[in-house]
Amino acid sequence: MNKVYILVGGLIVLVMGLSSCSNTRYLKSGELLYVGASIKIEDDSLSKSQKKELRSSLEELVRPKPNSKILGLRPKLYFYNLAGEPKKDKGIRHWIRNKLGEAPVLYGKVDLDYNEAIMSNYAENQGYFNTKVNSDSIVKSKRVEVVYTVKPQKVFSIRNITFVSDSTEVQKEIYKTKRRSLLKKGKPFNLEVVKNERIRIDSRLKEKGYYYFNPDYLLVQVDSTVGNNQVDLFVKVKETTPTVAKSPYTIEKVVVYTDYSLNESNLNASVWDTIKPYNDFIIVDPTKRFRPQIYDRTLYFKKGDLYNRTNHNLSLNRLVNLGTFKFVKNQFVIADSTKHTLNSFYFLTPDEPKSIRLELLGKTNSASYTGSEINLNWRNRNFFKGAELFTISAYGGMDFQMSSANKGYDIYKFGTEANLIWPRIISPFKFHSASGYVPRTKATLGYEFQNRTKLYALHSFKGSFGYLWKEDIKKEHELNIIDINYVSPEKVSDLYQQEIVDNPSLQHVLDKQLIFGPKYSYTYTNTMQKFKKNTIYYKGILDLSANLTGLLMKASEEDGEQKSILGVPFSQYVKVENDFRYYRRLTKNSQLATRIVAGIGFPYGNSEQMPYIKQFFVGGTNSIRAFRSRSLGPGSFNPTQNTSGFMPDQSGDITLELNVEYRAKLFSIVHGALFMDAGNIWLLHEDIEKPGGKISKDFYKELAVGIGAGLRFDISFLVIRTDLAFPIRVPYLPEASRWTLDKVDFGDSQWRKDNLIFNIAIGYPF
């Protein structure tokens, strides 16, 4: 074995040596290999941090970039030279040269004067006026390194900022914005800040009706002759600014054309015969496809309004957000140049109103179930001619467990669901949202039949009515005024009845359940801001059932009699869930993702325990991946002690999950991950059938912990995820033996069978 190590080590050293010394021998006569540039900052007045920041910025500007290096070597260049000139545009030599290889960067491609000018210009834009840049080349063994010597002067700071004020309206408006200026006295002069200041002023003017103004019409004059390395700045409108840009504009007409085609160069004259004045709008709807009321809730401009960019963007965003139009085009045209008025045109291309989709899915989960599902979805995007979205879906599926404790206990299900979404809030109370997202009202009806062979079947009915709205792109609300669930069992087998005798807690699954009440969720996320190093996601849910009903009917646990509606006892509880995620970008292609999930359900009044479908479950592909789905907890209860022919799902009233995952791109579409999951569920009250399940002050000693690794295949429109995990802390073992890291033995087939859990899923776990 030692000889093998020596041989492998020798080969590595040989390859590294070849790649380091043989690249230059492929160069033609007179050619030199460019190996990079170094930058020297010569100025004693600058601090170390200032020199470091300036040097780093200048290094990014130097062109060209030399051949890439790994550990000081250039293996890509070596592969390019090794392959030689391929005779064909395919084959192994072509692949090595063009895929693994990289053509040499020659010194002849380096333009020293260009790089000097670019660096000098950048330094002056950062306030280092009169910067001098010189270059020198160092040649050694057919390799050339360029040294740039930069001699900046002391950075110039801003002494005074003057916003020129005159009698013109536009200059007066600019003067009003100076208190929010990005230009600050005493700060270093920076051209980027000056550019951003022009953009800021332009944005402010756009809110005041100056539709035709743009940042290029602003001039920031710099006077560097005031001495002491200072400058004075003067902000004013250029004298060459067009007259049309100096005046604010109001809206004269709002015209909506609802059947526009991108192929139309000119609108057919006959369509204007279908003009229908509606409030402040002119509607051109040749096919009479839409009710004009939808524009009241989407278009913010009315006749006589002063143009502003906020309402301009809000109107476009809302039209797109309706989901009814494939394309939305907006155009402003001068109506009367003397009165400074605009006509606003909206050209809308409707999407196909009706569509149908059939999906066939194959799936597997960590509970060893494998199966398939078929979904049929039909939708109408303009159900009542008011951009309402109506969907009907029907589905059916089956899950088979080919091994483990639940072998033969298969699951069959089918169901249907209908949803109707109105692009407005239907309420007796006035609701106003100033965001670019259309607030919605949603009604849902659904039914599902689930048959667990050899055990029981369940009928589930649900209905809800509520609202969805977004404050902005980060904040979203959902409020269901009423959310009803009714579950009823049938076909309970003798086997399951016998199991109930031995384990009464199994009866809880078969209890008829009537749940109704409001439900509210709030979501905040800034994860869409890819440039941020730290991003977060938070979702909180408050779920209530029969709180007011229980109070009116005087439901109480103490009298021992459950109140019923239509012969079914109703559930009464308060449930709170929290899901917080923190993402930290480590490098361009790596990230650290963490999550904390905490929830509690508190039954009271008419209920001694939480409804089964509202309890918490852990384990599985998106939870604690080292344990099979719904097989963990509660507390230190050992579910593996079950001696029946199947493994019942484990549920609890309290949940806590902690996850951390390191994610990094490996190559192409393949990403890798290392992760650790911890958590468990607990009961609020003692259950003699589940000893150790009740939460206590030592709950942290009952946390399960698992670790693992996985691959993610990012195919742009979806992510296929595979995870392999195993437990290192098992809460139902004796307290002194719960850590099992010392028992890990990948070479033992029985250990692998008992502990390794393979998960395959779509998307990231969090």
Side-chain angles (χ1 to χ4, degrees):
M1 185 61 70
N2 289 335
K3 291 181 179 179
V4 173
Y5 290 151
I6 293 171
L7 179 60
V8 172
L11 288 172
I12 293 174
V13 171
L14 178 61
V15 171
M16 293 175 67
L18 287 172
S19 66
S20 64
C21 68
S22 63
N23 282 324
T24 55
R25 70 185 179 91
Y26 292 97
L27 298 174
K28 297 178 182 178
S29 177
E31 289 183 337
L32 297 172
L33 182 66
Y34 174 63
V35 295
S38 60
I39 297 176
K40 294 172 60 178
I41 308 293
E42 292 186 354
D43 193 305
D44 295 335
S45 65
L46 300 184
S47 66
K48 288 184 178 179
S49 61
Q50 286 176 315
K51 288 183 178 181
K52 182 179 179 181
E53 183 179 354
L54 180 59
R55 184 185 298 109
S56 177
S57 299
L58 294 177
E59 286 173 349
E60 292 297 319
L61 299 175
V62 177
R63 294 293 184 273
K65 296 296 182 184
N67 292 105
S68 57
K69 294 194 297 184
I70 299 176
L71 299 176
L73 307 176
R74 295 182 170 83
K76 287 190 174 184
L77 178 56
Y78 174 72
F79 284 120
Y80 180 90
N81 291 325
L82 180 66
E85 187 68 40
K87 297 179 180 179
K88 301 178 181 179
D89 291 338
K90 58 183 179 179
I92 185 67
R93 291 183 65 186
H94 181 271
W95 183 81
I96 291 175
R97 186 178 177 90
N98 294 282
K99 295 297 182 180
L100 291 181
E102 183 180 70
V105 179
L106 302 177
Y107 177 63
K109 298 179 180 179
V110 180
D111 188 336
L112 298 178
D113 293 338
Y114 172 81
N115 283 331
E116 290 176 8
I118 286 292
M119 287 192 280
S120 177
N121 184 61
Y122 176 83
E124 295 208 6
N125 289 342
Q126 300 302 305
Y128 299 99
F129 292 170
N130 303 316
T131 295
K132 305 296 182 184
V133 182
N134 297 311
S135 59
D136 191 18
S137 303
I138 301 174
V139 182
K140 184 178 180 181
S141 302
K142 291 189 176 182
R143 295 178 176 83
V144 180
E145 179 186 6
V146 178
V147 178
Y148 295 95
T149 302
V150 181
K151 298 179 180 180
Q153 302 299 314
K154 184 179 179 181
V155 66
F156 278 60
S157 60
I158 300 173
R159 189 184 73 165
N160 289 311
I161 307 109
T162 301
F163 280 75
V164 178
S165 179
D166 57 29
S167 59
T168 62
E169 289 298 319
V170 66
Q171 195 68 65
K172 289 179 181 178
E173 288 295 340
I174 294 173
Y175 185 79
K176 292 177 184 178
T177 72
K178 71 174 186 176
R179 66 188 183 92
R180 296 185 181 276
S181 175
L182 302 177
L183 306 173
K184 305 292 183 183
K185 289 184 179 180
K187 293 292 184 179
F189 173 84
N190 188 304
L191 185 61
E192 284 301 313
V193 176
V194 172
K195 291 179 179 178
N196 290 335
E197 172 69 359
R198 297 200 309 169
I199 293 172
R200 182 196 68 85
I201 293 173
D202 175 65
S203 298
R204 181 61 181 168
L205 292 176
K206 287 292 192 294
E207 297 299 315
K208 296 295 183 178
Y210 291 86
Y211 175 76
Y212 290 101
F213 200 87
N214 73 62
D216 290 335
Y217 297 152
L218 284 167
L219 178 65
V220 180
Q221 291 180 321
V222 182
D223 183 359
S224 60
T225 65
V226 297
N228 296 323
N229 293 98
Q230 293 180 313
V231 296
D232 287 346
L233 303 181
F234 300 86
V235 183
K236 64 179 184 178
V237 177
K238 291 180 180 179
E239 294 180 358
T240 56
T241 300
T243 303
V244 70
K246 296 180 180 180
S247 301
Y249 282 77
T250 57
I251 303 300
E252 176 64 25
K253 296 178 181 178
V254 179
V255 182
V256 182
Y257 179 45
T258 66
D259 198 25
Y260 178 71
S261 171
L262 296 180
N263 297 324
E264 295 182 62
S265 56
N266 295 298
L267 296 181
N268 191 318
S270 64
V271 303
W272 298 104
D273 297 335
T274 64
I275 288 178
K276 181 179 180 181
Y278 173 77
N279 293 341
D280 285 339
F281 307 133
I282 296 174
I283 311 298
V284 184
D285 188 357
T287 60
K288 298 182 180 179
R289 185 178 295 183
F290 302 100
R291 288 189 289 111
Q293 286 80 1
I294 64 173
Y295 308 115
D296 284 332
R297 300 182 292 273
T298 53
L299 300 181
Y300 277 75
F301 285 128
K302 305 292 189 294
K303 181 180 175 64
D305 286 351
L306 186 69
Y307 169 85
N308 69 81
R309 179 177 283 173
T310 297
N311 286 347
H312 180 171
N313 291 334
L314 283 175
S315 298
L316 289 175
N317 289 343
R318 287 206 163 196
L319 285 170
V320 172
N321 190 242
L322 282 175
T324 304
F325 302 106
K326 186 185 301 183
F327 303 108
V328 175
K329 180 181 176 181
N330 182 211
Q331 184 178 359
F332 288 88
V333 178
I334 293 178
D336 189 328
S337 58
T338 59
K339 295 181 180 179
H340 307 303
T341 57
L342 296 171
N343 288 335
S344 179
F345 292 86
Y346 293 92
F347 300 98
L348 312 178
T349 305
D351 205 343
E352 289 296 328
K354 299 175 183 178
S355 63
I356 189 167
R357 183 177 63 190
L358 180 66
E359 297 176 338
L360 181 62
L361 308 175
K363 58 182 179 177
T364 184
N365 63 33
S366 60
S368 298
Y369 277 104
T370 302
S372 62
E373 184 173 309
I374 186 169
N375 295 287
L376 182 64
N377 301 281
W378 179 83
R379 64 169 52 197
N380 186 325
R381 294 182 177 87
N382 193 34
F383 193 59
F384 294 128
K385 294 189 176 183
E388 299 88 358
L389 175 62
F390 180 60
T391 62
I392 297 179
S393 62
Y395 59 89
M398 57 194 72
D399 294 305
F400 302 99
Q401 194 164 54
M402 309 305 294
S403 61
S404 79
N406 284 339
K407 182 177 181 181
Y409 294 88
D410 305 323
I411 302 173
Y412 299 87
K413 66 178 181 180
F414 65 84
T416 184
E417 182 175 299
N419 291 282
L420 180 58
I421 300 176
W422 293 267
R424 62 186 184 278
I425 297 295
I426 301 175
S427 168
F429 307 102
K430 189 174 181 180
F431 181 90
H432 176 72
S433 172
S435 80
Y437 299 89
V438 178
R440 304 176 187 276
T441 300
K442 181 179 180 180
T444 299
L445 285 175
Y447 164 76
E448 180 179 285
F449 174 78
Q450 183 182 112
N451 181 28
R452 303 194 68 163
T453 58
K454 301 183 183 180
L455 300 176
Y456 56 81
L458 293 176
H459 297 275
S460 300
F461 301 87
K462 67 177 181 180
S464 64
F465 181 86
Y467 310 112
L468 304 93
W469 72 98
K470 296 183 72 168
E471 292 183 47
D472 51 43
I473 194 173
K474 299 178 182 178
K475 303 171 187 175
E476 184 173 359
H477 304 262
E478 181 173 357
L479 173 63
N480 281 341
I481 300 297
I482 185 135
D483 196 340
I484 301 174
N485 283 271
Y486 172 68
V487 180
S488 177
E490 73 164 33
K491 297 181 181 179
V492 181
S493 69
D494 293 337
L495 170 63
Y496 197 80
Q497 293 285 9
Q498 182 58 46
E499 293 297 332
I500 292 175
V501 174
D502 298 330
N503 184 2
S505 64
L506 296 178
Q507 177 62 45
H508 186 40
V509 180
L510 300 180
D511 290 339
K512 286 188 176 182
Q513 300 172 34
L514 178 59
I515 304 167
F516 58 92
K519 184 178 180 180
Y520 169 75
S521 70
Y522 169 77
T523 303
Y524 174 89
T525 181
N526 62 354
T527 54
M528 73 292 294
Q529 297 174 309
K530 302 300 182 183
F531 62 90
K532 291 181 69 71
K533 189 171 185 178
N534 303 292
T535 56
I536 63 172
Y537 168 94
Y538 170 76
K539 184 171 185 176
I541 300 175
L542 176 63
D543 188 358
L544 308 175
S545 179
N547 306 95
L548 182 59
T549 304
L551 181 64
L552 295 175
M553 297 182 68
K554 299 181 180 180
S556 173
E557 297 179 36
E558 297 178 359
D559 59 18
E561 181 182 349
Q562 278 190 303
K563 305 297 182 181
S564 300
I565 296 178
L566 300 177
V568 180
F570 58 84
S571 298
Q572 192 173 7
Y573 64 82
V574 175
K575 181 183 177 183
V576 179
E577 298 176 69
N578 296 277
D579 183 345
F580 177 80
R581 308 172 190 180
Y582 168 71
Y583 304 91
R584 181 175 179 84
R585 180 166 49 85
L586 302 176
T587 67
K588 180 181 178 181
N589 293 315
S590 66
Q591 179 188 60
L592 188 68
T594 58
R595 177 178 68 171
I596 299 176
V597 177
I600 182 171
F602 180 73
Y604 70 98
N606 209 48
S607 299
E608 295 183 1
Q609 54 186 334
M610 290 289 294
Y612 178 73
I613 62 173
K614 292 292 184 176
Q615 287 187 299
F616 297 104
F617 305 87
V618 290
T621 56
N622 295 325
S623 182
I624 306 170
R625 285 161 279 184
F627 295 84
R628 291 183 173 86
S629 179
R630 302 190 172 203
S631 67
L632 181 61
S636 60
F637 171 67
N638 185 357
T640 64
Q641 292 178 346
N642 179 66
T643 59
S644 66
F646 71 100
M647 292 286 291
D649 296 339
Q650 303 304 322
S651 59
D653 305 315
I654 302 171
T655 187
L656 177 65
E657 285 188 49
L658 310 164
N659 313 86
V660 59
E661 183 168 289
Y662 170 74
R663 301 167 181 169
K665 182 177 181 179
L666 301 180
F667 58 89
S668 185
I669 64 169
V670 183
H671 299 245
L674 299 173
F675 57 84
M676 176 182 288
D677 304 318
N680 207 337
I681 53 174
W682 293 268
L683 300 174
L684 277 174
H685 307 293
E686 196 71 60
D687 185 342
I688 60 174
E689 303 299 331
K690 296 182 179 181
K694 182 183 177 182
I695 194 167
S696 67
K697 60 182 178 62
D698 294 326
F699 71 93
Y700 60 92
K701 297 180 180 179
E702 298 170 343
L703 290 174
V705 182
I707 60 176
L711 294 175
R712 290 91 171 89
F713 302 90
D714 191 344
I715 317 174
S716 68
F717 59 91
L718 64 85
V719 175
I720 300 175
R721 170 166 56 94
T722 61
D723 289 324
L724 187 65
F726 59 92
I728 61 172
R729 194 171 197 278
V730 182
Y732 50 76
L733 293 178
E735 188 172 336
S737 306
R738 289 175 181 170
W739 287 104
T740 60
L741 197 56
D742 58 331
K743 298 181 178 62
V744 174
D745 187 357
F746 291 100
D748 185 345
S749 60
Q750 188 59 45
W751 181 90
R752 295 196 303 270
K753 181 179 179 181
D754 294 339
N755 294 276
L756 285 182
I757 302 295
F758 179 72
N759 294 287
I760 183 168
I762 302 296
Y764 288 97
F766 55 90

